[in-house]
């Protein structure tokens, strides 16, 4: 006998707040598994703000039912940042009992009863574009308004496999290993710089002078040394065809907590690297990696590159200083 109260497949709520809808549109480009397989075989997408057929009270009733009758049985995915100004009235999910149900209220209520909470895209994970200065709606990250763990899957937009892989891991194996920013290490465990196909050009000081040239993009603003994501090896467009550097334009660091305020100007290179007792200009990094022994700082620099500390060193000198390592409204390493 089938118990109709127990769903046959894991339930997913995909909620949109202040968003351009780019993350859901990106997910539709997933290939293996694809979106069709996700909703037909893997999980039940019970609510989708963008693709759902219901509207008005019918749609709100779906969310009410999930919150009341399926506690700890659904995964809440939130796309977009959360506006907090005017009690959240800058983003309204719908009307409930004749009153506006704000995104701020919805994510708190639905998030409290979810099995897992996932932030889809940089806006939900870290504030992103909508939280950029002057931030008139006082947008914040999802984590900033929830007193529970949020799994962050940043990107502007997300790579479809980052989200598809995270959802499948949660369903099949539970929570994946996360870094200090609550990102799955499976996808965000290494810098773009260390995975880049053009790393040899960097090591040999062969730099592009303008976008469009086939060399290392470091001197024209590439944020690969401080951005953790596997874009160079995973690539995009469903068929794994390309990514920004392969298309001859610098990485702008869209998966980083600082994006976008801490990554602008996009086409200016990272600031100087400061090492104990010596200041190394960014223009000389590539050269130094080739003559490290002669300069007497090679062991430290190469060790920093190999362990990832170089990315942290560079971040300290981003515009605004170390405070931009993470937005004040985000709770780093929230457990």
């Amino acid at each position: 006998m089938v118990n109709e109260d127990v769903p046959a497949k894991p339930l997913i709520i995909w909620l949109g707040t202040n968003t351009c809808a780019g993350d859901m549109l990106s997910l539709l480009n997933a290939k293996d598994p694809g979106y069709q397989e996700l909703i037909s075989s893997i999980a039940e997408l019970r609510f989708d703000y963008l693709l759902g057929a219901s509207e008005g009270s019918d749609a709100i009733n779906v969310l009410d039912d999930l919150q009341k009758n399926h506690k700890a049985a659904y995964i809440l995915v939130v796309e977009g940042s959360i506006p907090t100004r005017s009690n959240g009235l800058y983003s309204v999910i719908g009307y409930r009992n004749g009153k506006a149900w704000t995104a701020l209220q919805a994510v708190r209520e639905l998030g409290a009863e979810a099995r897992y909470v996932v932030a889809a895209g940089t806006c939900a994970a870290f504030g992103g574009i909508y939280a950029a200065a002057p931030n008139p709606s006082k947008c914040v990250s999802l984590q900033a308004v929830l007193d529970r763990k949020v799994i962050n899957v940043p990107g502007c937009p997300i790579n479809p496999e980052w989200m598809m892989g995270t959802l499948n891991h949660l369903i099949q194996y539970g929570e994946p290993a996360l870094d200090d920013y609550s990102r799955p290490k499976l996808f965000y465990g290494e810098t773009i710089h260390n995975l880049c196909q053009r790393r040899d050009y960097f090591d040999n000081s062969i730099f592009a002078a303008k976008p469009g040239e086939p060399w290392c993009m470091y001197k024209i603003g590439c944020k690969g040394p401080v951005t953790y994501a596997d874009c160079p090896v995973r690539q995009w467009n469903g068929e794994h065809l390309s990514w920004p550097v392969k298309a001859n334009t610098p990485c702008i660091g869209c998966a980083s907590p600082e994006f976008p305020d801490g990554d602008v100007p996009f086409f200016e290179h990272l600031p100087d690297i400061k090492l104990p007792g010596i200041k190394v200009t960014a223009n000389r990094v590539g050269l130094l990696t080739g003559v490290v022994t002669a300069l007497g700082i090679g062991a430290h620099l190469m060790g920093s590159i190999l362990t990832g500390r170089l990315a942290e060193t560079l971040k300290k000198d981003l515009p605004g200083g170390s405070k931009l390592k993470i937005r004040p409204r985000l709770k780093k390493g929230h457990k």
Side-chain angles (χ1 to χ4, degrees):
M1 178 179 294
V2 176
N3 185 348
E4 295 182 353
D5 293 331
V6 179
K9 293 179 291 187
L11 301 172
I12 296 175
I13 299 174
W14 191 294
L15 201 66
T17 56
N18 270 14
T19 176
C20 68
D23 299 303
M24 171 51 76
L25 294 176
S26 183
L27 182 71
L28 296 177
N29 289 303
K31 291 287 290 185
D32 188 19
Y35 177 77
Q36 184 64 35
E37 184 174 354
L38 171 69
I39 62 174
S40 61
S41 303
I42 299 172
E44 180 182 344
L45 191 54
R46 182 69 65 91
F47 181 91
D48 185 328
Y49 81 98
L50 186 64
L51 304 178
S54 62
E55 59 182 15
S57 59
D58 289 342
I60 297 301
N61 289 341
V62 172
L63 295 174
D64 278 340
D65 175 68
L66 286 164
Q67 182 188 355
K68 295 175 182 176
N69 301 318
H70 298 282
K71 295 181 179 180
Y74 61 84
I75 299 172
L76 174 64
V77 180
V78 177
E79 175 181 355
S81 56
I82 315 300
T84 60
R85 191 171 188 174
S86 302
N87 295 320
L89 282 173
Y90 282 71
S91 178
V92 174
I93 300 299
Y95 285 84
R96 192 170 62 169
N97 302 323
K99 296 182 179 179
W101 194 25
T102 67
L104 179 61
Q105 293 172 313
V107 299
R108 282 177 169 167
E109 294 177 28
L110 294 168
E113 305 298 344
R115 183 176 182 184
Y116 299 108
V117 178
V118 180
T122 298
C123 289
F126 304 124
I129 296 289
Y130 290 92
N135 192 5
S137 59
K138 297 190 182 304
C139 277
V140 298
S141 69
L142 180 60
Q143 183 67 86
V145 299
L146 291 185
D147 189 22
R148 61 166 296 168
K149 178 184 287 184
V150 173
I151 298 171
N152 291 322
V153 185
C156 188
I158 52 171
N159 185 299
E161 293 189 357
W162 296 341
M163 178 52 67
M164 192 65 78
T166 299
L167 290 176
N168 274 278
H169 201 291
L170 290 173
I171 292 170
Q172 300 292 335
Y173 309 110
E175 183 181 298
L178 305 175
D179 68 6
D180 289 344
Y181 294 102
S182 205
R183 300 173 294 196
K185 292 181 179 179
L186 178 65
F187 307 115
Y188 304 92
E190 186 55 88
T191 63
I192 284 177
H193 180 70
N194 284 346
L195 298 174
C196 185
Q197 298 97 331
R198 301 188 183 184
R199 176 58 189 270
D200 284 345
Y201 294 133
F202 175 87
D203 292 341
N204 289 282
S205 301
I206 302 174
F207 297 106
K210 59 184 178 183
E213 294 184 346
W215 320 119
C216 175
M217 297 283 171
Y218 178 73
K219 285 189 176 180
I220 56 173
C222 185
K223 304 302 185 295
V226 295
T227 303
Y228 285 80
D230 64 2
C231 298
V233 293
R234 189 168 304 280
Q235 304 193 60
W236 293 70
N237 306 106
E239 299 284 358
H240 312 283
L241 294 175
S242 189
W243 68 291
V245 171
K246 189 175 180 179
N248 292 324
T249 188
C251 163
I252 59 173
C254 76
S256 293
E258 298 88 0
F259 182 82
D261 287 352
D263 288 341
V264 293
F266 291 138
F267 290 89
E268 287 188 10
H269 70 69
L270 293 162
D272 296 347
I273 302 171
K274 296 176 182 177
L275 299 175
I278 191 169
K279 181 179 180 180
V280 183
T281 64
N283 289 340
R284 299 183 65 197
V285 170
L287 178 62
L288 285 170
T289 57
V291 294
V292 289
T293 302
L295 291 177
I297 61 172
H300 182 96
L301 180 57
M302 290 303 290
S304 295
I305 292 172
L306 291 173
T307 61
R309 294 196 303 273
L310 177 59
E312 295 303 316
T313 303
L314 288 166
K315 279 186 175 183
K316 291 178 181 176
D317 290 331
L318 286 169
S322 59
K323 65 180 181 181
L324 285 175
K325 289 178 69 178
I326 190 166
R327 296 176 189 277
R329 49 190 170 273
L330 182 69
K331 300 174 183 177
K332 181 179 179 182
H334 181 87
K335 303 296 182 184

